[in-house]
Amino acid sequence: MGNRAIAEIQFADYIFPAFDQIVNEAAKFRYRSGNQFNCGGLTIRAPYGAVGHGGHYHSQSPEAFFCHVPGIKVVIPRNPQQAKGLLLSCIRDPNPVVFFEPKWLYRLAVEEVPEKDYMLPLSEAEVIREGSDITLVGWGAQLLIMEQACVEAEKDGISCELIDLKTLIPWDKETVEASVNKTGRLLVSHEAPITGGFGAEISASIVDRCFLRLEAPVARVCGLDTPFPLVFEPFYMPTKNKILDAIKSTVGY
Amino acid sequence: MAQLTRRSAKLLEPISAAVSATRHLTTSSTSPITVETSLPFTGHKIDPPSRSVETTPQELLTFFRDMALMRRMEIAADSLYKAKLIRGFCHLYDGQEAVSVGMEAAITKKDCIITAYRDHCIFLGRGGTLFETFAELMGRKDGCSKGKGGSMHFYKKDSGFYGGHGIVGAQVPLGIGLSFAQKYNKDENVTFAMYGDGAANQGQLFEALNMAALWDLPSILVCENNHYGMGTAEWRSAKSPSYFKRGDYAPGLKVDGMDALAVKQACKFAKEHALKNGPIILEMDTYRYHGHSMSDPGSTYRTRDEISGVRQERDPIERIRKLIISHDLATEKELKDTEKEVRKEVDEAIAKAKESPLPDASELFTNVHVKGFGVEAFGADRKELRAVLP
């Protein structure tokens, strides 16, 4: 019938009862039926990430689980304008897409959003701040924190280039590669626990592509390897100061 | 809309039986009184128990006090949340108190209870204290989960309370597992696995029930039907809102969950049944006065008239108050004094809980794995900061 299914999971923390349906059914239907069938361009929206006081089951960032699944796309916007354009692209994309919305921004972000219908391309990263000493890669709400760190670093004479990855799989390696070839350093930051996070994939790929150009090991500033804590959320989070420290130590390596 | 009104009307089925109790006033606090339940029980594949419930003056007064305490505690939690002293997600139980106290009156602390996130009063019913409750709600060290759980994650192992779970419906398979252990250990106790009308549509519930029935496990599935899964009325989400019939092959009982005595009778009956024959579903017809959680004002998907109607017609505390007065077990004033006492108790517990410190910062890293497992957690930069998890 050509209609698009848009599912909404109330919190990304609650996506796991549907994990099998997403991973084994939606993602692989096209492949295993030899392109006879597909899941009709399904888009799954789910709010994710910290919100300041969410506790264990209203704060998690499960994007890496889905980045391990061939057949689906994972998209995360950083602001309202991006959210509209990327969401429309996801809905119209013939592949199943998991669209994670940074819930922290629901009540925080204020921005003019065009009323017209517009789409932003998937799998295209965007350099949102140009710089020459180090490349920072992130997505979603974390970009705001990273941007603050960039501003602080600039006061110390460090010029940071900030990239919004937007689509995590399939991700835009070229944009990141070009940037790292220019700066010679890379820092990746996300809220999800560091071990097995998508930052590890970016790090490995970029080391592979830019090995001889790198001036320092790739830095990852991420969530801790603990369950998302209730009262200790500020300790868990990859905060501005943690990023700033990592920028300085990477640049001074 | 027509359908909405019809449902609302059904929510308000008049309940007058409570006040027309038969026995004469007794002076001894333990001499039995027989009271008729507000409504008859409805059975599915089982003969329902009698409407005549044995109680005592002592029990009625305890019900009144316990429910008044729960009500006051939840209202205080509401204020603490609004004052930002409680963070995270918080789901209140006021309106549903009769389910907790009625259930506890029928069972022992060797029986297990497991529930979802609306768990404060279940914890209290299991013998938890106000202090532990408020300390946990505010994320303090003296909370029942050492401040690491918060509102949705209360536990009390020494009296068989297994929490306190955040994922809708996911606690029911755990509850069936508890009853498997009880049967395996031949310890003649049962497990009450509680869930809401929203969770009643979850697939894992039926998978777990199948195993429970197949192996005759002493499981009692308690569906607390408060008629709204978050903001979704039951008729919008359930093809059959007769949740006590949802077990198909498993028997069920519909109970007025606003009548503590009916709940007690049903739980006693269910325990005997489950020990002999395996699982049974109890649908407790109840109502929550607050919204689903603190982010829900609770007034957008139901009318204010519906809420005030339930308060007037079916309130579980008022029902017991009427019974006490009609049996001349206490005066209006004495009951008011009880309410004042519990208010004071709650205020004192809050003041004490506020004094409790936050958990030690090192608690961030404890209990991720078993102690001494040697797993490392990494800090800001994997190269600079690392710690072996304690």
Side-chain angles (χ1 to χ4, degrees):
Chain A
M1 288 186 289
N3 292 334
R4 286 287 198 236
I6 306 166
E8 187 191 340
I9 310 259
Q10 192 202 4
F11 286 93
D13 310 62
Y14 305 165
I15 208 166
F16 300 109
F19 200 59
D20 180 56
Q21 291 294 322
I22 298 168
V23 171
N24 284 329
E25 304 304 330
K28 292 158 189 164
F29 204 16
R30 189 186 296 277
Y31 187 82
R32 69 179 141 89
S33 68
N35 208 23
Q36 291 180 77
F37 295 104
N38 60 70
C39 64
L42 168 71
T43 295
I44 298 163
R45 297 175 56 201
Y48 87 105
V51 66
H53 62 273
H56 311 293
Y57 291 153
H58 295 86
S59 308
Q60 297 176 76
S61 300
E63 70 271 11
F65 292 113
F66 297 93
C67 292
H68 203 54
V69 183
I72 54 178
K73 295 186 175 184
V74 176
V75 177
I76 303 180
R78 72 169 184 274
N79 62 30
Q81 259 188 37
Q82 292 281 320
K84 179 175 175 181
L86 287 171
L87 183 58
L88 283 170
S89 296
C90 291
I91 291 165
R92 290 163 185 159
D93 191 285
N95 300 293
V97 185
V98 181
F99 189 80
F100 286 122
E101 305 175 8
K103 70 170 97 59
W104 200 319
L105 301 186
Y106 283 150
R107 289 179 188 169
L108 200 75
V110 179
E111 193 178 35
E112 284 287 330
V113 177
E115 279 187 30
K116 67 173 183 3
D117 186 337
Y118 65 96
M119 304 207 300
L120 296 171
L122 302 183
S123 292
E124 265 185 36
E126 182 186 343
V127 177
I128 53 179
R129 182 188 173 95
E130 292 200 16
S132 54
D133 296 330
I134 183 168
T135 302
L136 277 69
V137 176
W139 48 88
Q142 188 59 13
L143 288 163
L144 285 177
I145 310 293
M146 296 167 80
E147 180 124 47
Q148 291 167 9
C150 293
V151 172
E152 291 276 311
E154 193 157 41
K155 292 178 190 159
D156 288 332
I158 302 172
S159 158
C160 304
E161 180 144 308
L162 182 58
I163 296 179
D164 178 4
L165 205 56
K166 298 192 208 182
T167 304
L168 272 64
I169 50 163
W171 63 288
D172 180 1
K173 293 191 180 89
E174 286 67 30
T175 299
V176 180
E177 182 185 356
S179 173
V180 175
N181 277 334
K182 182 174 76 174
T183 63
R185 295 174 191 89
L186 174 65
L187 180 152
V188 191
S189 181
H190 53 68
E191 281 179 24
I194 187 166
T195 302
F198 196 65
E201 176 59 35
I202 296 173
S203 170
S205 300
I206 293 304
V207 168
D208 187 33
R209 289 180 173 223
C210 311
F211 185 67
L212 292 175
R213 183 65 193 89
L214 281 170
E215 308 272 356
V218 178
R220 286 186 287 156
V221 185
C222 307
L224 303 180
D225 288 335
T226 69
F228 198 100
L230 178 68
V231 285
F232 288 136
E233 179 172 330
F235 296 160
Y236 171 95
M237 295 293 283
T239 54
K240 182 194 77 180
N241 285 339
K242 289 183 187 175
I243 297 171
L244 191 60
D245 280 352
I247 290 173
K248 287 180 183 166
S249 62
T250 303
V251 170
Y253 185 78
Chain B
M1 200 55 216
Q3 213 166 356
L4 257 179
T5 337
R6 202 162 67 235
R7 284 247 32 103
S8 304
K10 214 174 161 197
L11 281 175
L12 294 179
E13 274 170 354
I15 293 160
S16 48
V19 254
S20 61
T22 44
R23 283 281 178 96
H24 289 295
L25 162 68
T26 48
T27 40
S28 161
S29 67
T30 49
S31 50
I33 315 174
T34 305
V35 179
E36 287 267 292
T37 60
S38 54
L39 290 170
F41 299 101
T42 319
H44 165 69
K45 294 202 168 163
I46 197 163
D47 288 329
S50 156
R51 283 181 73 175
S52 301
V53 190
E54 282 240 323
T55 181
T56 60
Q58 180 65 50
E59 185 175 67
L60 290 175
L61 291 167
T62 310
F63 280 0
F64 181 83
R65 189 174 208 287
D66 289 352
M67 288 199 285
L69 189 71
M70 288 173 178
R71 176 80 47 99
R72 186 63 217 159
M73 178 179 91
E74 293 297 63
I75 288 165
D78 179 280
S79 314
L80 287 173
Y81 195 93
K82 284 170 183 155
K84 299 201 169 184
L85 282 158
I86 297 174
R87 310 306 308 272
F89 285 64
C90 184
H91 308 78
L92 303 178
Y93 200 72
D94 50 326
Q96 304 185 202
E97 299 93 341
V99 178
S100 170
V101 300
M103 189 167 64
E104 292 293 353
I107 63 176
T108 73
K109 299 291 187 279
K110 285 187 175 156
D111 296 307
C112 301
I113 299 181
I114 186 165
T115 187
Y117 38 78
R118 206 176 298 284
D119 61 351
H120 310 162
C121 294
I122 307 293
F123 171 75
L124 214 60
R126 290 266 90 182
T129 65
L130 285 171
F131 173 55
E132 289 170 299
T133 302
F134 285 115
E136 189 59 43
L137 284 171
M138 294 190 281
R140 307 302 170 95
K141 199 173 182 166
D142 294 304
C144 51
S145 306
K146 297 181 186 163
K148 292 177 83 166
S151 164
M152 305 201 292
H153 309 285
F154 282 28
Y155 306 86
K156 190 166 171 56
K157 199 177 173 189
D158 59 7
S159 53
F161 180 44
Y162 287 81
H165 294 264
I167 303 297
V168 171
Q171 74 281 7
V172 177
L174 302 181
I176 303 300
L178 288 169
S179 53
F180 181 92
Q182 286 165 326
K183 175 142 185 150
Y184 188 85
N185 293 328
K186 299 191 175 69
D187 64 5
E188 294 298 306
N189 298 312
V190 299
T191 297
F192 288 77
M194 309 177 73
Y195 57 97
D197 47 306
N201 302 315
Q202 275 279 316
Q204 52 188 327
L205 209 122
F206 296 91
E207 297 173 36
L209 179 63
N210 176 54
M211 285 188 263
L214 193 62
W215 300 326
D216 299 328
L217 303 181
S219 320
I220 295 149
L221 277 70
V222 182
C223 177
E224 285 186 278
N225 180 6
N226 62 24
H227 303 278
Y228 297 93
M230 297 197 61
T232 307
E234 57 179 344
W235 61 268
R236 288 181 190 272
S237 60
K239 179 65 189 168
S240 161
S242 294
Y243 298 103
F244 67 110
K245 294 182 184 166
R246 284 287 199 87
D248 181 16
Y249 42 80
L253 200 62
K254 182 163 180 172
V255 184
D256 179 7
M258 302 297 266
D259 177 353
L261 291 168
V263 173
K264 177 183 119 170
Q265 183 88 328
C267 290
K268 191 163 159 267
F269 175 82
K271 182 176 172 177
E272 282 164 19
H273 172 90
L275 283 172
K276 265 190 256 150
N277 311 301
I280 178 170
I281 298 178
L282 297 181
E283 178 187 344
M284 304 288 184
D285 182 352
T286 183
Y287 200 79
R288 69 166 147 75
Y289 296 144
H290 264 94
H292 166 78
S293 70
M294 300 312 296
S295 54
D296 167 23
S299 53
T300 52
Y301 46 85
R302 53 185 187 179
T303 60
R304 293 201 185 275
D305 286 350
E306 179 185 302
I307 305 169
S308 60
V310 175
R311 277 189 192 276
Q312 277 160 28
E313 305 285 332
R314 297 184 60 203
D315 187 85
I317 301 180
E318 292 313 308
R319 171 189 306 286
I320 298 296
R321 190 198 306 270
K322 279 182 201 157
L323 270 176
I324 292 172
I325 303 286
S326 69
H327 282 81
D328 229 352
L329 307 175
T331 61
E332 287 269 10
K333 178 167 181 310
E334 284 168 326
L335 296 181
K336 283 262 180 268
D337 288 345
T338 304
E339 286 174 306
K340 274 183 206 152
E341 272 166 45
V342 301
R343 181 184 279 255
K344 192 162 161 265
E345 259 181 68
V346 167
D347 291 345
E348 283 167 5
I350 293 172
K352 195 172 157 205
K354 280 180 181 166
E355 299 296 312
S356 175
L358 288 176
D360 209 58
S362 64
E363 286 288 330
L364 173 57
F365 297 104
T366 58
N367 312 125
V368 178
H369 295 285
V370 67
K371 216 175 164 97
F373 205 65
V375 174
E376 281 183 310
F378 298 96
D381 180 319
R382 200 175 179 97
K383 294 174 290 291
E384 300 298 325
L385 287 168
R386 54 175 68 190
V388 176
L389 292 182

